[in-house]
Amino acid sequence: MTISWLQAALLGLFACLCSNSCMAGQAVGNYTIGRPLVGGLVCGIILGNLQLGIACGVAMQLVYIALVTPGGTVSADVRAISYIGIPLAMVAIASQGLNPLGGSAANLAKSVGTLVGTVGTVLYYAVATMNLVWQSFGWKDVHSGKLDKLTAVNFGWPWVSHAIFSFLPTMLLTYYGSTAVTALRNALPMDGIAMKTLFTVGGMLPCVGIAILLRQIIGRAADFIPFLVGFTLAASLKLNLVSVTVISLLFAVIMYEVEMAKTSGSEAVDDGPSNSDDEEDI
C-alpha cells in the first residue's frame, strides 16, 4: 500500500477540520471526526481499504479512550493519531501482510499510534502559539473600535496556523512516512526482536487506556461490577460488542429507575403533608 499526494492532501485537510473550530466545530470536529474510531473510517475511505482503516481506528481508540484535555493540557494529540498514525499503521500492516483483524495487526497499530501521538502534541502547541499572534491583532482591533474585523481573527487567520502546523505536516508525514514504513519492512523482519517488542508493547497499551478510564469513574469497589459483568459475558458466553452493549443498556435503565425512585421517595418524606390551602406564587 502506498499513499499518493492527493490522498496525503485529503488526510491533511481532515486533520485541519478536526482541529479548527471555525470549520467543523468542537462537537463535530474535535470530538467526532478527530477521534481514532471515526478517523479510521475516514482513512479507510481515503486509502481504499475500509476494513483495515476501521480495524486500526478501533485498536488506537482503546489506548486513548480516556484522553481528555483539561485546561488545554494535551498529553497526546488524537487528531495526529487519527490522520497520521492510522494511515502509517495501515501501510505497515499491509506491507507486513498481516491479517487486518488479527491481534498482531492491532498491536502494531497501537504502537505506531503511540509514537505519532507525541509528534501531534508538538504540532498542537505550535498551532496554539501561532494563534496568539492573531489574538494580538484582535486586541488592537478592539482598542481601536474595529469590531467588524474580529471575524477574521476567529474564523480567518487561524487557517494560516493550521495550514502550517496541521495540513503540511500531516501531508508530508503521511506521504514520505509511508515510504519509510515500507523500507522498515525490509530492515526489520517479523521474527526479529524489534518487531516482537512492538507487538508486545502494543498489546499492553489498551490496559493503560482502560486503567485511566477506571480512575476517572470508579469511586468505590462496587463500581467494578458492571465492568466485570461485561468482560464475563464476552469471555464466557462469547457475546460480541453489540450484544454486551444492549445488556449494559438494560443495567443502565434499571439503575436509573432505582435512583429516580430513591430521589422521589426522599423528596416525599422531606415535603411531608401540607394543610395549607395557599397556592405557591410562581
Side-chain angles (χ1 to χ4, degrees), residues 6-266:
L6 176 60
Q7 292 172 327
L10 290 175
L11 293 171
L13 177 61
F14 271 93
C16 291
L17 292 178
C18 66
S19 60
N20 196 345
S21 59
C22 67
M23 280 298 296
Q26 290 293 327
V28 177
N30 186 27
Y31 293 107
T32 303
I33 63 176
R35 303 294 102 173
L37 188 61
V38 181
L41 172 64
V42 176
C43 292
I45 295 174
I46 293 176
L47 299 183
N49 194 333
L50 194 60
Q51 184 185 45
L52 180 57
I54 294 176
C56 291
V58 171
M60 294 186 186
Q61 184 67 68
L62 287 174
V63 181
Y64 299 98
I65 191 172
L67 182 65
V68 293
T69 56
T73 302
V74 180
S75 58
D77 188 9
V78 291
R79 295 164 295 190
I81 296 166
S82 298
Y83 296 104
I84 299 177
I86 291 179
L88 295 183
M90 292 175 64
V91 173
I93 293 171
S95 63
Q96 296 289 356
L98 301 176
N99 179 13
L101 303 180
S104 298
N107 294 338
L108 181 58
K110 298 165 194 171
S111 300
V112 173
T114 304
L115 295 174
V116 175
T118 305
V119 177
T121 304
V122 177
L123 299 178
Y124 175 89
Y125 286 117
V127 171
T129 301
M130 191 170 185
N131 283 340
L132 294 177
V133 178
W134 320 134
Q135 293 299 320
S136 66
F137 293 171
W139 279 114
K140 292 181 180 179
D141 294 333
V142 170
H143 292 312
S144 60
K146 301 177 182 179
L147 300 182
D148 56 321
K149 292 187 177 181
L150 294 179
T151 303
V153 176
N154 293 325
F155 301 102
W157 289 113
W159 268 106
V160 178
S161 306
H162 288 285
I164 297 175
F165 295 111
S166 290
F167 178 79
L168 288 178
T170 301
M171 181 176 65
L172 295 176
L173 287 174
T174 51
Y175 181 80
Y176 291 107
S178 61
T179 305
V181 169
T182 305
L184 287 176
R185 176 196 60 183
N186 301 325
L188 302 175
M190 287 292 295
D191 56 352
I193 296 178
M195 295 303 296
K196 288 182 178 180
T197 302
L198 283 177
F199 292 151
T200 302
V201 173
M204 298 171 59
L205 288 174
C207 297
V208 179
I210 295 175
I212 296 174
L213 180 63
L214 290 177
R215 282 184 58 86
Q216 295 179 0
I217 62 178
I218 294 296
R220 50 197 178 95
D223 294 336
F224 279 102
I225 295 177
F227 291 95
L228 297 178
V229 169
F231 285 113
T232 302
L233 292 175
S236 60
L237 300 181
K238 307 301 180 182
L239 297 180
N240 58 25
L241 185 60
V242 176
S243 301
V244 175
T245 302
V246 172
I247 295 176
S248 66
L249 289 176
L250 296 177
F251 276 100
V253 171
I254 293 174
M255 294 177 65
Y256 174 78
E257 295 293 340
V258 171
E259 292 297 329
M260 292 301 296
K262 290 181 180 179
T263 303
S264 299
S266 62

